[in-house]
Amino acid sequence: MLALTILSIFILIIVLIIFLEYRNEKKYQAKRRSESKQKTKPRKKLKVRKVSPKPEVKPEPTPKPEPVVEPEPVPEPEVVIAPEPEPVPEPEPIPEPEVVEETKVLPEVKYPKFSHARLVEMGLSDEEAVEFVQELIPQIELQIPLIEEVMNIPDFHQMERLTHSIKGSATNIGTGGVSDLLVECNTYLKSGTDIDIAKVYFEALKHYTKELREQYA
């Protein structure tokens, strides 16, 4: 008897679940149909406004030209001959001032005898200092024809560059003679433009290089 009651309750529960599922399905189907009807509603037609044609603009009438009235002739004025003016005496010519030509000042290029005492003060022996000077001489002699070549152009920038390359070696080794000359010459070539002054320095460079070679022969 108890088993029959439990079975009846179980069957009742199953039937109740099936009924709830069926009702939910009906509600879902009804919701889908209402949504599909809203989506398929016809769109409102856009109203097309009629544009009225613009009124034609009539050209304005061209005004008639007014008649040209010629002016009355004016009588010519009488010509009065003025008396001739008295002759004016010509002014005496003003003498032109004399132009005094400026005399170009060339550098003296006189320097004391070259000395390598700076190397000795740095701790080198006299023989080692002499060797440094003997190595400097051919370096200067190699630059002399190159300086002369750019001087014939003339190219002051290249002259300054070439003298600068040997100025440092000369001033590090000694003072006076070719060393002082290269300092003064290179300083002028940085801003100077007078070829005559540059030639004076160049001739002095050849002279003091020759003097240096004879001094350290």
Side-chain angles (χ1 to χ4, degrees), residues 7-115:
L7 181 61
S8 299
I9 294 171
F10 181 76
I11 292 170
L12 182 61
I13 291 170
I14 292 172
V15 171
L16 182 59
I17 291 170
I18 293 170
F19 173 76
L20 292 174
E21 288 292 328
Y22 176 76
R23 190 176 64 177
N24 290 338
E25 182 67 18
K26 285 290 186 179
K27 288 181 179 180
Y28 177 76
Q29 292 295 335
K31 186 179 179 181
R32 289 288 301 275
R33 281 195 296 271
S34 64
E35 289 178 354
S36 62
K37 285 180 181 181
Q38 290 178 358
K39 290 181 180 179
T40 55
K41 282 183 180 181
R43 295 182 181 177
K44 292 181 180 180
K45 293 184 178 179
L46 298 174
K47 293 181 180 181
V48 180
R49 294 176 63 185
K50 293 183 179 180
V51 180
S52 58
K54 293 181 180 180
E56 295 181 359
V57 180
K58 294 182 179 181
E60 296 181 358
T62 307
K64 293 181 180 180
E66 297 180 358
V68 180
V69 179
E70 296 182 357
E72 295 181 359
V74 179
E76 295 181 359
E78 295 181 359
V79 179
V80 179
I81 300 173
E84 294 183 359
E86 295 181 0
V88 179
E90 295 182 358
E92 295 181 0
I94 301 172
E96 295 181 359
E98 295 182 1
V99 179
V100 180
E101 294 183 358
E102 294 184 1
T103 305
K104 187 181 296 186
V105 179
L106 299 176
E108 294 184 3
V109 293
K110 292 182 179 180
Y111 309 101
K113 191 174 181 180
F114 184 86
S115 171

